[in-house]
Amino acid sequence: MTEEQPAPADLRRTGIHPDYWYPLAVSRRVRKNRTFATAFAGERIVLYRTASGAVHALEDRCAHRQVPLSMGVVEGEALRCCYHAWAYRGNGRISQIPYLPKGAERPPRGVRSYPVREAYGLVFVFPGDPAKAAAAPFPDLPEFRSPTHRTMTFSRTVKCHYSFMHENLLDMNHQFLHRGVLGRIQPKLLGYDTGPSHVEARYLFVPAGGRKDRGAGLLSGEGFSGGNTSDVITIRTGYPYQTLQDVPERSQLPAFSLWAAYVPEDAEQRVNHAYGLLMIAKPPVPGALDLAWPLIRRFTERVFAQDRMAVEAEQRAWDEQGEDRNQEVFPLILDVRDVLRANGVPLGPVRAAGAGAPLCGGARAPQAGSPVVTGGLA
């Protein structure tokens, strides 16, 4: 008689691992001499760009009275709290307390600082052990700076656990959801492989009739004349990121590539901020992609809206049931769940969320779990 294996841990109670580089803002939204409030898994973080253009990330609280530093003022290379004007350097150290008597020592501790890297039009922060930041792998996206490609950036808050996002993109059997945008598609799994920190799948997308959004054809390189060619779609969850490539049937090169990261905002990790870079190959005709851009943008927005509706419904079901009652049958998704569990961390106890503090100017500071970055496709 064989012993029953214990049920795997509920993936929706698994936190994302902090020892990776995560985008926490679109670069253009972190303006010079301004603060920007954001969050990672319940940790409130303030980004600010100094007069020299450097971006820093600090724990979003003053060491003095715990007032959010995102309510403060950037002066030169320092960030000054709006309450008692304590000033902080980019490393989190206190650089000035205006009313401190001469000869008196400043408090030995300031606030936590986070390693920051700015790349691909995004501000990346390393929220884990700072000693591991230099050796941690950083996304390599050669198409982003290639003159043969143009990149569409997206930034959206989605009210679900980040794992639902990985499952949604990796499981292409849900094309029925997009039938009004893509027409009827017959996805065929060509094969997949998995390892300790990745799952990669290849699909053949075969059109099977129905009306397709014009932007879909333009994105996949069919041109303004349209067409119904098949495409090979390769999707990879390489923890903690996700990528997708589309290679049209009669081509050797991808028509587009997508890189995405899903960053939990709240401590319970039931809300994530999805950042994505859609790198689209320019067609041979000069200026053709510029003309197609609004149609591609509308198409991507429609697809994302449908996917968001589905994953947020999954999260609501989990919330109502208090557990994961999914009856999954697709081996690929069972494998990616194992990868996300194995590489994640247990969620700790969640502190009760307090009311947002009033800003010095009368507004309110964003709370962990609230949409702290807004904006659409660009």
Side-chain angles (χ1 to χ4, degrees):
M1 191 172 176
T2 58
E3 289 186 17
E4 282 191 19
Q5 294 295 320
D10 190 337
L11 175 58
R12 320 309 171 186
R13 300 181 191 277
T14 299
I16 206 165
H17 204 296
D19 287 341
Y20 292 88
W21 289 98
Y22 293 98
L24 290 190
V26 176
S27 287
R28 67 175 179 274
R29 297 190 182 278
V30 185
R31 291 178 286 174
K32 188 175 287 189
N33 298 322
R34 298 291 295 274
T35 64
F36 186 92
T38 185
F40 175 85
E43 294 182 28
R44 295 165 63 115
I45 296 173
V46 57
L47 305 177
Y48 66 99
R49 192 181 298 276
T50 66
S52 67
V55 177
H56 299 285
L58 300 180
E59 180 181 2
D60 194 7
R61 65 170 188 85
C62 180
H64 179 213
R65 298 281 185 88
Q66 316 304 305
V67 172
L69 289 173
S70 56
M71 295 155 45
V73 178
V74 181
E75 293 183 351
E77 300 301 304
L79 175 57
R80 192 178 293 277
C81 178
C82 75
Y83 196 10
H84 289 80
W86 287 28
Y88 294 85
R89 299 187 182 95
N91 60 8
R93 300 281 181 86
I94 299 165
S95 61
Q96 185 190 31
I97 300 174
Y99 54 86
L100 196 67
K102 286 185 178 180
E105 293 188 3
R106 290 190 292 269
R109 295 180 183 175
V111 296
R112 180 182 177 183
S113 66
Y114 299 83
V116 177
R117 289 184 66 172
E118 198 167 5
Y120 312 125
L122 301 172
V123 177
F124 288 79
V125 172
F126 194 86
D129 181 353
K132 297 179 180 179
F138 195 79
D140 182 20
L141 307 175
E143 295 97 337
F144 183 86
R145 291 191 178 86
S146 169
T148 61
H149 288 73
R150 182 178 172 185
T151 299
M152 181 179 291
T153 301
F154 65 84
S155 166
R156 286 282 196 273
T157 296
V158 187
K159 297 176 182 178
C160 74
H161 190 266
Y162 64 90
S163 61
F164 289 117
M165 304 293 286
H166 282 270
E167 294 177 15
N168 170 266
L169 190 62
L170 200 59
D171 186 355
M172 283 292 164
N173 295 309
H174 76 272
Q175 295 313 306
F176 184 75
L177 176 68
H178 303 307
R179 62 195 181 278
V181 183
L182 289 171
R184 292 192 297 274
I185 295 289
Q186 292 180 345
K188 178 183 178 183
L189 182 63
L190 300 176
Y192 78 94
D193 67 88
T194 184
S197 61
H198 82 276
V199 175
E200 182 173 291
R202 295 175 67 248
Y203 294 88
L204 179 66
F205 267 32
V206 180
R211 186 175 179 179
K212 180 167 64 175
D213 186 286
R214 197 174 184 187
L218 293 170
L219 179 59
S220 59
E222 293 175 358
F224 285 95
S225 58
N228 283 301
T229 59
S230 299
D231 296 75
V232 174
I233 309 289
T234 303
I235 307 154
R236 180 183 179 90
T237 286
Y239 194 90
Y241 314 119
Q242 201 163 37
T243 58
L244 181 150
Q245 270 195 348
D246 176 288
V247 179
E249 188 177 33
R250 291 185 292 273
S251 176
Q252 300 297 317
L253 299 174
F256 67 87
S257 301
L258 171 70
W259 177 89
Y262 316 117
V263 185
E265 292 184 349
D266 58 319
E268 292 180 309
Q269 303 199 16
R270 296 185 191 180
V271 177
N272 78 86
H273 202 97
Y275 292 91
L277 301 171
L278 183 64
M279 294 157 282
I280 308 169
K282 295 179 180 178
V285 180
L289 186 56
D290 294 336
L291 294 174
W293 200 255
L295 296 173
I296 294 173
R297 175 173 168 171
R298 185 188 68 176
F299 163 69
T300 56
E301 287 176 336
R302 292 179 68 188
V303 171
F304 189 89
Q306 292 172 345
D307 284 331
R308 178 161 58 184
M309 173 195 69
V311 295
E312 289 184 348
E314 288 186 278
Q315 181 65 60
R316 286 194 300 271
W318 189 95
D319 292 337
E320 291 165 3
Q321 296 162 0
E323 62 181 355
D324 199 340
R325 297 185 186 176
N326 288 354
Q327 300 186 47
E328 186 55 61
V329 297
F330 197 28
L332 173 63
I333 297 305
L334 296 174
D335 282 351
V336 77
R337 289 180 180 179
D338 287 342
V339 165
L340 295 175
R341 281 192 200 94
N343 289 276
V345 293
L347 284 176
V350 178
R351 291 175 294 180
L359 296 176
C360 291
R364 299 187 77 80
Q367 300 180 45
S370 64
V372 291
V373 184
T374 59
L377 298 160

